[in-house]
Amino acid sequence: MFEKVLIANRGEIALRLHRACREMGIRTVAVHSTADTDAMHVRLADESVCIGPPPAMESYLNMPSILAAAEITGSEGIHPGYGFLSENADFANIVEEHGYTFIGPSAEHIRTMGDKITAKQTVRELGIPVVPGSDGAVNDADEARALADDIGYPVLIKAASGGGGRGMKLVRQAAEFETALAAAKTESKAAFNDDAVYIEKYLERPRHIEVQVIGDGTGKVVHLGERDCSLQRNNQKVLEEAPSPALNDAARKKIGQTVVDALSRINYTSLGTVEFLYEDGEFYFIEMNTRLQVEHPITEAITGIDLVREQIRIAAGAPLSFSQEDIRFSGHAIECRVNAEHPTTFVPSPGIVGDFHAPGGLGVRVDSALYAGYRIPPNYDSLIAKLVVHGSNRNDCLMRLNRALGEFVVGGIEVNIPLHEQMIQQQDFIDGDYHIHWLEEFLGRHN
Ligand code: ADP
């Protein structure tokens, strides 16, 4: 096992990683920008190294500084968390070339899944269902238009290197196609320095359902059920739940097995999430995330498994400590992402935190790096806390969530807690009857 791990991240996830290491008897090294000198992850870690100024490009994305920090502290493993360098195949490679262990999947798997066209082709060959669309990148405008006619409108033009919902263009009719294609290419080139785009059938009201997997590099891959992340705004997840209210046991087992079969064939190692759109009983692959995800705690809640501990064990060369038959799903869990932003205008609200009180009690977990008096820097993501509630069933979970949201106090700044309180009281949500556009339609009606 590692003696010392460097945590190449900040905020709540840096704390989450630190906690797993501490429980395993591993010493931790925090890295931080000059904006994060007083951050909780720095205070809790055994050692810390300042790696640069506030802009992420010069600190949390600065590979030479991070490697230098690993060297001077004698770290053995480097955990990238999510975001920042977590899905950067070059970083995974460089870490390994310098003799450290990258706590995550192989650089090869990160690279394959990082390009959406290659990812789609790869998983289709492995037997995972994909959204109907072009076989690869489309270049010639006439050819692309003929293809779109074949697929049938509406279609979505997507960037091969896309992420965070950027570089997507919805085309409702043939007359708009050519302009949209040109715009998608230009935008994609500007945002990702890659103008490769592809076409997909646009699904009108799907759910976003993702399957959590873990593999140990010996071909053994286990799935840990699904998460329903359909409640989104600007393609950003806002609230997630596990299991999905839309799946029964048979459907869950079937998609889980399909994913496991596929990923064992490529000997997938570490944590991964395969994301699908789900409509009319059918799953359609959209992408695979080769990293730990923000919403992993709801899976931990219903399985009782510490995903980060398993991930670290596997990176250290240990085999998976459980098999598929050992996984038992228990009850229901929901995560609310608490953001430092205005609850109706969504304008970010960094600043000094006044009062801070995190809810507690049975089945309530709060992952957050906040404390009273902490100054939230304006340079990073607005996610400041995750409220994760577990109940014996969905109804129990909803009652507990309502109670926990009512206890949550974050003073001095604007937070989106009122939005969560409002959302979970809507009949559609109570009925589990929602899709990926539900939240935006709801906001359109109420703002
Ligand atoms: P990104 O990597 O940019 O987040 P994804 O492929 O994961 O892109 O898609 C992000 C979101 O866009 C999905 O969660 C879904 O809301 C929407 N989306 C993607 N593909 C389709 C599609 N074929 N039909 C309808 N909506 C889609």
Side-chain angles (χ1 to χ4, degrees):
M1 188 44 65
F2 306 113
E3 279 183 16
K4 202 187 264 189
V5 163
L6 182 143
I7 297 168
N9 215 302
R10 65 179 301 282
E12 68 85 20
I13 198 62
L15 229 63
R16 168 71 189 91
L17 302 176
H18 165 81
R19 287 172 172 153
C21 289
R22 199 30 91 74
E23 289 173 14
M24 297 171 82
I26 299 169
R27 293 178 65 76
T28 55
V29 176
V31 292
H32 65 93
S33 72
T34 50
D36 276 339
T37 309
D38 296 326
M40 196 60 137
H41 78 280
V42 178
R43 292 182 168 198
L44 286 187
D46 293 300
E47 291 167 66
S48 64
V49 181
C50 181
I51 50 167
M57 279 307 291
E58 296 169 52
S59 49
Y60 297 102
L61 292 169
N62 184 338
M63 298 188 210
S65 293
I66 292 170
L67 288 166
E71 186 176 345
I72 58 175
T73 53
S75 301
E76 298 160 52
I78 299 184
H79 198 308
Y82 55 67
F84 293 131
L85 295 167
S86 61
E87 285 177 300
N88 186 315
D90 291 338
F91 181 62
N93 237 338
I94 291 168
V95 164
E96 297 276 332
E97 274 170 6
H98 282 75
Y100 306 106
T101 303
F102 180 78
I103 304 179
S106 70
E108 184 203 342
H109 287 152
I110 298 174
R111 186 163 284 122
T112 304
M113 297 303 171
D115 180 280
K116 297 183 134 199
I117 292 175
T118 318
K120 210 173 157 184
Q121 283 166 344
T122 305
V123 303
R124 191 180 44 210
E125 281 162 23
L126 291 168
I128 291 181
V130 301
V131 190
S134 59
D135 269 341
V138 291
N139 292 309
D140 180 76
D142 290 336
E143 221 174 275
R145 211 158 109 160
L147 191 67
D149 288 343
D150 267 2
I151 297 167
Y153 289 90
V155 298
L156 200 57
I157 305 176
K158 297 172 81 170
S161 303
R166 282 189 304 166
M168 275 191 244
K169 287 267 174 267
L170 171 60
V171 191
R172 291 236 166 241
Q173 42 195 313
E176 300 162 5
F177 185 82
E178 230 153 290
T179 323
L181 180 68
K185 278 181 171 289
T186 312
E187 228 171 77
S188 171
K189 179 82 187 165
F192 311 108
N193 196 28
D194 174 11
D195 74 351
V197 297
Y198 61 107
I199 306 178
E200 260 178 17
K201 170 96 193 135
Y202 178 72
L203 304 172
E204 294 281 357
R205 300 198 148 217
R207 299 182 82 111
H208 173 118
I209 296 180
E210 57 186 36
V211 178
Q212 173 72 59
V213 296
I214 186 163
D216 67 5
T218 67
K220 187 168 166 186
V221 175
V222 168
H223 78 84
L224 295 134
E226 81 285 3
R227 296 183 286 259
D228 196 317
C229 313
S230 304
L231 291 174
Q232 306 180 356
R233 191 186 148 265
N234 285 345
N235 290 310
Q236 302 280 330
K237 299 164 185 169
V238 176
L239 177 154
E240 304 96 343
E241 59 181 316
S244 167
L247 294 194
N248 58 28
D249 278 348
R252 171 168 307 117
K253 225 172 164 168
K254 185 160 173 248
I255 191 65
Q257 194 57 49
T258 303
V259 169
V260 162
D261 289 346
L263 294 180
S264 15
R265 280 172 59 198
I266 57 169
N267 207 0
Y268 190 77
T269 312
S270 193
L271 293 173
T273 299
V274 182
E275 299 192 334
F276 294 95
L277 295 179
Y278 178 77
E279 194 172 65
D280 299 330
E282 300 290 336
F283 283 96
Y284 303 96
F285 170 88
I286 44 172
E287 68 170 340
M288 175 163 186
N289 290 323
T290 50
R291 56 171 166 82
L292 178 70
Q293 282 194 266
V294 175
E295 59 273 22
H296 76 276
I298 53 175
T299 299
E300 298 187 318
I302 63 162
T303 60
I305 290 170
D306 183 331
L307 290 179
V308 177
R309 182 188 295 178
E310 276 305 313
Q311 189 187 28
I312 295 172
R313 286 184 65 255
I314 287 166
L320 261 176
S321 66
F322 47 80
S323 60
Q324 194 66 58
E325 296 70 46
D326 298 325
I327 308 296
R328 293 273 173 278
F329 299 111
S330 156
H332 199 92
I334 294 181
E335 171 181 276
C336 291
R337 297 192 187 201
V338 178
N339 295 333
E341 66 189 15
H342 191 279
T344 57
T345 64
F346 303 102
V347 172
S349 178
I352 296 179
V353 178
D355 291 338
F356 180 73
H357 174 78
L362 182 64
V364 177
R365 163 178 174 183
V366 175
D367 279 18
S368 174
L370 285 199
Y371 57 86
Y374 172 65
R375 181 192 291 274
I376 301 170
N379 314 79
Y380 311 106
D381 195 87
S382 63
L383 179 79
I384 50 164
K386 304 188 308 202
L387 169 61
V388 181
V389 171
H390 185 225
S392 54
N393 54 45
R394 191 166 184 269
N395 191 41
D396 186 33
C397 182
L398 288 183
M399 290 194 300
R400 186 165 283 159
L401 178 57
N402 193 32
R403 185 272 290 171
L405 282 167
E407 281 178 23
F408 214 147
V409 179
V410 185
I413 54 162
E414 297 283 358
V415 292
N416 65 345
I417 292 173
L419 170 67
H420 285 292
E421 289 182 306
Q422 202 190 5
M423 212 161 57
I424 67 166
Q425 285 175 35
Q426 303 307 308
Q427 196 59 47
D428 287 345
F429 180 72
I430 293 168
D431 296 339
D433 182 15
Y434 56 83
H435 51 82
I436 59 170
H437 306 299
W438 185 91
L439 179 55
E440 286 180 354
E441 290 174 8
F442 169 76
L443 292 169
R445 285 195 302 273
H446 286 80
N447 284 331

